[in-house]
């Protein structure tokens, strides 16, 4: 994690990208570290959003490449259960992509949306909106918390 912070904006992009894949990684730590180090909030917002968004798109396409037969064979999930899950995901459709920023389950949403071939363009758009909202709110919260606590960095 320290090396990514040393890399500045490039490290932020790589870290946020990786955090949006199935790797257990926190982009908030990188965002906080760069803001505390004095990075420009606007650039942190843009780079973190793009990196995290592209990571979610990658996870979506990994799901897209998946095959039902693999899931049935390797995870011992019946076709009936897969169909039931598909109906649940299809019920909310691409709007579910807005929530891919949620810790823990967001990556599963992105993977599932791709696996069940939910509208790609709508998913990508909702992913971008969700990621942008997440980082905008986080950076604003950091700004106000650091002012309230008297911490320099913004």
């Amino acid at each position: 994690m320290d090396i990514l912070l040393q890399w500045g904006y490039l490290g932020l992009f790589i870290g946020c990208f990786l955090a949006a894949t199935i790797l257990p990684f926190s982009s908030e730590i990188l965002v906080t570290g760069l803001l505390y180090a004095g990075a420009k909030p606007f650039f942190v917002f843009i780079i973190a959003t793009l990196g995290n968004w592209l990571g979610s798109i990658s996870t979506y396409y990994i799901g897209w490449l998946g095959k039902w037969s693999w899931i049935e064979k390797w995870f011992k999930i019946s076709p009936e259960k897969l169909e039931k899950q598909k109906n649940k995901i299809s019920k909310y459709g691409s709007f579910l992509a807005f929530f891919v920023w949620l810790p823990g389950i967001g990556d599963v949403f992105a993977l599932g949306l791709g696996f069940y071939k939910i509208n790609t363009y709508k998913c990508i758009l909702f992913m971008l909106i969700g990621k942008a909202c997440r980082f905008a709110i986080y950076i604003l919260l950091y700004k106000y918390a650091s002012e309230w606590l008297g911490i320099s960095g913004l």
Side-chain angles (χ1 to χ4, degrees):
M1 188 87 64
D2 288 335
I3 195 163
L4 292 175
L5 283 174
Q6 290 173 356
W7 287 4
Y9 293 123
L10 177 61
L12 177 66
F13 179 85
I14 293 168
C16 287
F17 180 92
L18 292 174
T21 64
I22 56 174
L23 298 175
F25 198 74
S26 173
S27 55
E28 287 83 1
I29 293 171
L30 293 170
V31 169
T32 302
L34 280 177
L35 291 173
Y36 184 75
K40 302 288 184 199
F42 177 75
F43 292 127
V44 170
F45 167 74
I46 295 296
I47 293 166
T49 300
L50 287 176
N52 215 237
W53 178 54
L54 291 172
S56 287
I57 292 171
S58 298
T59 302
Y60 174 91
Y61 278 110
I62 288 170
W64 186 277
L65 296 173
K67 296 185 189 301
W68 285 51
S69 60
W70 297 348
I71 302 297
E72 292 171 22
K73 178 181 176 182
W74 293 336
F75 297 105
K76 307 292 186 224
I77 299 175
S78 69
E80 296 80 25
K81 188 166 186 174
L82 286 172
E83 192 63 43
K84 187 176 177 182
Q85 289 173 345
K86 181 181 183 192
N87 291 337
K88 284 182 182 179
I89 288 180
S90 295
K91 177 180 176 184
Y92 299 104
S94 52
F95 181 69
L96 190 59
F98 178 83
F99 297 100
V100 298
W101 62 268
L102 289 170
I105 61 171
D107 300 335
V108 175
F109 287 169
L111 201 62
L113 289 165
F115 182 74
Y116 292 118
K117 315 259 190 291
I118 305 300
N119 186 300
T120 302
Y121 299 110
K122 287 182 181 179
C123 283
I124 288 172
L125 177 63
F126 280 120
M127 284 180 192
L128 177 61
I129 293 167
K131 299 287 186 173
C133 289
R134 167 201 188 184
F135 286 112
I137 291 168
Y138 186 82
I139 290 169
L140 287 173
L141 286 174
Y142 177 87
K143 179 182 188 283
Y144 291 116
S146 63
E147 288 174 2
W148 183 68
L149 295 171
I151 299 172
S152 64
L154 280 184

